[in-house]
Amino acid sequence: MSPEIETIETLLVDLPTIRPHKLSMTTMACQTLVIVRMRHSDGIEGLGEATTIGGLSYGPESPEGIKLTIDRYLAPLLIGQPSSNLNALRARMDRHVRGNSFAKSGLETALLDAQGKRLGLSVAELLGGARHDHLPVLWTLASGDTQKDIDEAFQRLNDRRHCDFKLKIGANAVDDDVRHVSAIKRALGDRASVRVDVNQAWDEATAARGIAALESAGIELIEQPIPAREYAGLTRLAERFIVPMLADEAVHDATDGFTLAAAGFSDAFALKIAKAGGPLGVLELASVAKAAGIGLYGGTMLEGTLGTAAALHAWATLPEMAWGTEMFGPLLLKDDIVAEPLHFHDFGVDLPQGPGLGVTLDEDKLAHYSRQD
Ligand code: MUC
Ligand code: MG
């Protein structure tokens, strides 16, 4: 008889960042992880994480909202159901709860972790098998200060931790941003690639001006320059410039991916398990991208180790991603809630080994950082 899902617990975990992380829509001094603990009748516990950025500033699900959605709406749909049929459980969640992909991603991750532990297989093996065991990882320079960002970049390069950098822009006037980015690119020269993420801050005309200047400064990739739903505008910018556009907030799941591709967009997609409702959904989007010849990038919501590991298992099953990954979330946090950190070295990270996600909790740290109210 198939084991059943018995209990689902959600915890809000507040972890300080190593420095303020400045994005166009918020400055983060702390990251809140929503941790999922799912216990099954065979004694197995599956772990998951559903994490967003800056409360409601990145998207429509907040940490507190994710916890409430799981506790009140999604957990009752899953409790008492057979644990092993992930396809049936995903369909059940989608039939009764619209949207809320971040909450669903945390639950799908916990189901995959439990099934992997049950069968003695890693999540990547459950998803068809890993093609890589070490994945490239970029670092985001977002201190808000040009010289500090340059110093940080050289430190990361010299430690052989990162050689690709993403700069968060859009909070300042476009000319100031262009000066900031160009100075960093000039300092790094050919030693590193530099990309920017505007997080939707520009209108199309500002974007055209900013991108022209960034392209001549040698910037490699322009992430989400204009609002998420302006598909036609993003496609126009992609056609107008040689430097590619990376769709992030514009592309959540396979349906968005198809819509963008059908509109003529052919540059690159930022995959994130949270946006797609979990590892299975994000691989559906990857298939659409592959069919449309769109480049892939392994994106993060600045998750802790659990969420980062879940994404790494998905990325490991794909052919080499054209733009690598940004799975550095745990490195931005002063501490974490796991027993063994991920191993970052040689400009990338190792895929965690062992059954399920290959990650175990440090119960003392989890208790220490969990929100009490
Ligand atoms: C985003 O919009 O891409 C990813 C890296 C980072 O620094 O912020 C995130 C969010
Ligand atoms: Mg982004």
Side-chain angles (χ1 to χ4, degrees), residues 58 166 168 197 199 223-224 248-249 272 326:
Y58 180 93
K166 156 160 148 176
K168 288 289 191 177
D197 188 356
N199 283 114
E223 183 169 343
Q224 202 62 54
D248 181 9
E249 287 91 327
K272 294 184 180 174
E326 58 180 14

Side-chain angles (χ1 to χ4, degrees), residues 254 256-269 284-296:
D256 293 335
F258 178 77
T259 306
L260 263 168
F265 181 83
S266 63
D267 282 357
F269 287 165
E284 290 168 3
L285 170 60
S287 297
V288 170
K290 183 175 174 226
I294 291 172
L296 293 181

Side-chain angles (χ1 to χ4, degrees), residues 193-278:
S193 84
V194 177
R195 303 114 182 247
V196 298
D197 188 356
V198 194
N199 283 114
Q200 315 185 57
W202 290 339
D203 58 30
E204 198 177 334
T206 311
R209 197 155 69 79
I211 294 167
L214 293 170
E215 188 173 76
S216 12
I219 301 314
E220 273 207 344
L221 190 64
I222 312 285
E223 183 169 343
Q224 202 62 54
I226 59 173
R229 294 168 74 182
E230 293 184 14
Y231 285 3
L234 194 65
T235 305
R236 277 192 293 273
L237 292 169
E239 278 166 2
R240 179 163 174 177
F241 293 101
I242 292 170
V243 57
M245 302 300 127
L246 175 66
D248 181 9
E249 287 91 327
V251 63
H252 289 233
D253 56 14
T255 307
D256 293 335
F258 178 77
T259 306
L260 263 168
F265 181 83
S266 63
D267 282 357
F269 287 165
L271 306 178
K272 294 184 180 174
I273 58 170
K275 292 189 297 182

